[in-house]
Amino acid sequence: MIELKLRQILRQVKSDKPKIRYEALGKLYQYKNQDGLEIQVDVLKDMIKTAASKFPERVDRWDNPSFYLIEFVCDFPMREVVESLIQHFDGLDLHAKEQAIELLIMTESKEVFYFLEEKIINLMQTEDFIIPVRALSSYPVLMKGILDSSLEKLSSSHYKFMLYRLLLAFNSSGYELGYNKEVVLPFLLEDYHNEKQEYLKFDSEYSTKHAYSAWKDSYFILRNRMTLFIHLMEYYYTPAIGFELEEALNFQDPLIRTETLLVCISKNLPFKQSTLLECAEHIESAENIYWELKLRNLEHLYPITERKQLHLAKTRLFFTIINLPDQGNEQPFFPEDIQVIDKVEAENPLGELERYYLMRFKEQGDMYVGWAGGYAFEEDDDAANIKDVTYTDFVEFDSATIQEHKQAFFKKRRHYKSAHENTVYFESSPKLSKGAWFILAILISSWFRVVSSGFKDPLLPAIVITILGGAYCLYESVKNKKRKISIIGPTLVKQDGAKQYSSNFHDIKKIECNKRHILTYNMENELVFKFPLRWVRYELFHLAIKEHSAHLKSKIIIQSKN
């Protein structure tokens, strides 16, 4: 049983020998990566309790059992896990606390949010805590509570940029525009001026190739800070900010110019149409400015009005390639001379036609094949909507004809489709019923009385209970193995003995849960099938449905468990 192995790990991570701790954490990592893992709640609670206890002195960065135990249990977002995390929160390692906070935010519970606000504010009194800005960004009331008590940390080199990102998320929520302007604005102007002076050292020599091939991370950090400050200027605008924006419109970095242009449009400030056209045509900013304008219902301002797919496909492939993981190359990937060569049409898993573009690009002197898509059909090649399947396998362009490249594309899609449709992403079977556990309890107590009496009590009753109880439990166990709920590819499957029921995700409208059953309905609100609640851990089932149906246009409505 996995529970016995995990309890052994809990003993081993407390060992005084680093080698034993290292091996135990390695086993834990292997279990974490197993799909469809189900763990008894008591074991998860014991893992949290252990994570909050004291460990031997660390010998290296890997030696942090508290963090890895919490990282493991956070894959099981059950009510009991949440309650245990709150109970033992103070004893956790700092990095374990950060992991726990991410899960606790997902509860969206007012009581949990009150708890988190206090804990996050207290943790910010240290200089090591990482604020979970992305996780907080959907909850303005919680963000405001944290900001109200921590704006003085804008002077902290550790918290400064995390707080600026939190301020941007809070302002973007619309809850309180220009929040605490009299406090934030002086910090914003001073910090922007400091970053601008650093940026100006690069501006005159800026080129896309320099940025991605030579300057790299040190420059990208500077760029991100500049765009962050400029975006905040939309909410903290003053005449002094206006002068800064006017200057930034002439900077060479296309992403900084794009961010500046968007703020100018938002504040009805003057700008040149040539600047808008340059941002729309540049391979770094073409897609960014299109989607930002669309988000603001200003798509009509986008100056490229025809064949947008072909234009944006180049930007999509460019960023796909430069963001590929480093494979030990001396030089980072930098695609040049990106061209659209041809196109194909293919069905997605929902049966909808999508368009994919066969691309050619140069990488370190060689020409390769890339694919960008799949683009929607609604407006022919002017529809920019994309379900991103953009990639390259670095196949040399001249190694085959265009027709052969297309054939290879469809062969890869068939292989992926077959693998996807046969992959089990979630599987759960019912455990022994309460009746079976009751019989086992009687069986154990019967033998306990016999042993306690020195085998003076009659053996026959215990033997009879053992035979009958064992037979019943064995029968139920065998029967349960033939009962399961699975997510196989894009399909929810119920198996009950020889009978099997299934429904593709795009045919499911909603999933409801009552005290005894889970019910699945189709688009006509007709019951497709139902199964007992005890067949699954509902929290994990809920999470799996959300994860594997997130791509659907019509989202499945799945009821949260009361």
Side-chain angles (χ1 to χ4, degrees):
M1 291 176 65
I2 183 67
E3 285 82 4
L4 294 177
K5 295 176 181 179
L6 289 174
R7 289 195 185 280
Q8 184 181 23
I9 288 174
L10 293 184
R11 293 191 294 270
Q12 291 173 334
V13 295
K14 303 283 283 186
S15 172
D16 292 331
K17 298 179 180 179
K19 182 181 179 181
I20 293 177
R21 298 200 298 274
Y22 181 82
E23 291 173 351
L25 292 176
K27 292 176 187 174
L28 184 67
Y29 178 76
Q30 291 175 4
Y31 292 137
K32 175 176 170 57
N33 289 319
Q34 286 186 15
D35 292 330
L37 202 62
E38 291 192 17
I39 312 294
Q40 292 179 5
V41 172
D42 287 345
V43 176
L44 295 173
K45 291 166 71 174
D46 284 344
M47 294 178 81
I48 296 170
K49 187 176 180 180
T50 301
S53 64
K54 291 185 178 180
F55 294 91
E57 186 176 349
R58 295 183 193 176
V59 297
D60 207 339
R61 291 184 64 182
W62 61 263
D63 195 8
N64 189 352
S66 181
F67 168 75
Y68 291 111
L69 289 170
I70 296 303
E71 183 186 42
F72 184 92
V73 301
C74 283
D75 287 341
F76 302 87
M78 296 176 278
R79 175 179 55 81
E80 296 88 346
V81 168
V82 169
E83 291 172 353
S84 187
L85 284 172
I86 291 173
Q87 179 183 354
H88 297 287
F89 186 88
D90 291 338
L92 299 177
D93 170 82
L94 175 62
H95 297 303
K97 289 177 179 177
E98 292 170 351
Q99 190 76 29
I101 287 171
E102 297 263 359
L103 173 61
L104 294 175
I105 289 173
M106 290 170 56
T107 66
E108 300 185 341
S109 161
K110 287 184 179 180
E111 292 75 15
V112 175
F113 279 9
Y114 289 139
F115 170 84
L116 285 175
E117 181 179 327
E118 176 189 354
K119 295 302 178 183
I120 290 173
I121 291 169
N122 288 338
L123 286 168
M124 288 180 65
Q125 302 313 306
T126 71
E127 286 296 313
D128 302 305
F129 177 64
I130 304 298
I131 303 172
V133 177
R134 181 174 296 182
L136 291 167
S137 62
S138 299
Y139 308 102
V141 175
L142 180 54
M143 284 192 287
K144 186 176 189 305
I146 295 167
L147 288 167
D148 285 345
S149 300
S150 57
L151 276 186
E152 74 281 357
K153 293 291 183 180
L154 283 170
S155 60
S156 161
S157 58
H158 176 73
Y159 287 109
K160 182 188 299 291
F161 293 100
M162 285 185 278
L163 279 174
Y164 278 128
R165 287 196 294 273
L166 195 64
L167 280 165
L168 180 58
F170 181 66
N171 277 284
S172 298
S173 73
Y175 189 87
E176 187 178 336
L177 300 179
Y179 166 80
N180 228 324
K181 186 173 183 177
E182 65 281 0
V183 175
V184 174
L185 183 60
F187 282 106
L188 177 60
L189 283 170
E190 180 182 355
D191 289 330
Y192 174 73
H193 288 151
N194 292 336
E195 294 300 321
K196 183 177 73 172
Q197 294 309 309
E198 290 299 312
Y199 167 75
L200 289 173
K201 297 175 183 178
F202 295 90
D203 186 67
S204 61
E205 298 181 5
Y206 183 86
S207 73
T208 301
K209 189 162 189 176
H210 277 155
Y212 290 92
S213 299
W215 300 341
K216 295 183 284 189
D217 289 347
S218 60
Y219 178 76
F220 296 144
I221 291 171
L222 180 59
R223 167 196 271 175
N224 290 340
R225 290 176 176 178
M226 287 287 288
T227 55
L228 171 63
F229 288 139
I230 290 170
H231 198 163
L232 279 166
M233 289 177 183
E234 179 177 343
Y235 304 104
Y236 294 97
Y237 182 79
T238 64
I241 292 287
F243 288 121
E244 298 294 348
L245 294 171
E246 185 178 356
E247 179 188 23
L249 280 173
N250 296 308
F251 289 160
Q252 298 303 306
D253 186 306
L255 293 180
I256 294 177
R257 292 180 78 191
T258 294
E259 193 62 57
T260 307
L261 185 61
L262 291 168
V263 175
C264 289
I265 291 172
S266 174
K267 306 304 291 185
N268 290 317
L269 300 174
F271 61 89
K272 296 178 181 177
Q273 284 297 316
S274 59
T275 303
L276 177 59
L277 182 61
E278 288 167 8
C279 290
E281 289 180 337
H282 199 287
I283 197 163
E284 287 188 74
S285 54
E287 200 172 34
N288 181 34
I289 192 167
Y290 173 80
W291 288 111
E292 288 295 332
L293 288 172
K294 188 175 178 66
L295 188 65
R296 293 165 166 78
N297 293 319
L298 297 172
E299 185 182 359
H300 61 279
L301 295 180
Y302 194 69
I304 298 173
T305 56
E306 297 181 350
R307 310 188 77 190
K308 287 196 286 286
Q309 284 183 3
L310 284 76
H311 177 63
L312 298 177
K314 297 178 182 180
T315 293
R316 182 56 61 111
L317 183 63
F318 173 81
F319 279 108
T320 296
I321 295 172
I322 64 169
N323 287 322
L324 288 172
D326 181 14
Q327 298 177 349
N329 302 327
E330 293 183 7
Q331 293 292 327
F333 294 117
F334 185 77
E336 300 178 276
D337 193 21
I338 299 176
Q339 299 176 34
V340 176
I341 303 300
D342 208 335
K343 63 185 178 182
V344 297
E345 298 173 359
E347 281 191 356
N348 64 22
L350 303 180
E352 301 166 338
L353 276 178
E354 294 175 338
R355 185 178 290 114
Y356 295 84
Y357 289 99
L358 170 62
M359 316 285 285
R360 181 175 66 192
F361 66 94
K362 182 187 292 186
E363 170 65 34
Q364 296 186 12
D366 295 319
M367 303 300 292
Y368 295 102
V369 171
W371 289 94
Y375 285 95
F377 264 65
E378 286 88 346
E379 304 168 42
D380 197 24
D381 55 10
D382 280 338
N385 297 329
I386 181 173
K387 293 174 182 174
D388 197 8
V389 195
T390 302
Y391 69 94
T392 179
D393 291 327
F394 288 99
V395 174
E396 291 192 10
F397 188 83
D398 292 332
S399 66
T401 64
I402 290 177
Q403 190 61 31
E404 288 170 337
H405 286 310
K406 291 181 181 180
Q407 291 171 356
F409 170 81
F410 284 110
K411 181 179 179 180
K412 182 169 183 173
R413 282 183 65 84
R414 287 194 297 270
H415 175 76
Y416 169 79
K417 182 181 179 183
S418 175
H420 171 58
E421 289 178 348
N422 291 284
T423 298
V424 179
Y425 295 105
F426 175 87
E427 188 173 86
S428 179
S429 295
K431 303 297 184 286
L432 288 176
S433 65
K434 291 180 180 179
W437 282 110
F438 179 71
I439 291 171
L440 285 174
I442 294 175
L443 188 154
I444 292 169
S445 64
S446 298
W447 279 106
F448 180 77
R449 283 195 301 269
V450 170
V451 173
S452 299
S453 70
F455 292 92
K456 293 177 181 178
D457 283 359
L459 289 175
L460 185 60
I463 293 172
V464 171
I465 292 173
T466 301
I467 294 172
L468 295 177
Y472 178 80
C473 291
L474 179 62
Y475 165 77
E476 186 169 309
S477 180
V478 170
K479 191 173 182 180
N480 284 346
K481 286 183 179 180
K482 298 179 181 179
R483 294 169 165 174
K484 63 179 66 174
I485 296 298
S486 309
I487 294 175
I488 304 176
T491 308
L492 180 63
V493 180
K494 170 192 172 183
Q495 181 180 337
D496 189 357
K499 296 179 180 179
Q500 182 168 299
Y501 310 84
S502 65
S503 181
N504 198 295
F505 279 142
H506 64 72
D507 294 325
I508 298 175
K509 180 177 182 179
K510 63 181 179 180
I511 297 175
E512 293 183 347
C513 169
N514 58 37
K515 291 182 179 180
R516 298 189 62 184
H517 289 93
I518 296 173
L519 305 95
T520 303
Y521 295 87
N522 62 19
M523 291 299 178
E524 286 72 42
N525 279 324
E526 297 169 338
L527 181 66
V528 179
F529 58 80
K530 68 178 182 178
F531 55 91
L533 180 60
R534 70 182 186 88
W535 283 26
V536 297
R537 283 273 179 81
Y538 190 74
E539 294 87 348
L540 301 183
F541 174 74
H542 183 281
L543 193 65
I545 293 292
K546 285 282 189 182
E547 179 181 351
H548 293 286
S549 63
H551 64 284
L552 297 176
K553 284 184 179 179
S554 180
K555 305 299 182 188
I556 295 176
I557 303 168
I558 179 165
Q559 179 180 339
S560 297
K561 190 176 179 182
N562 294 330

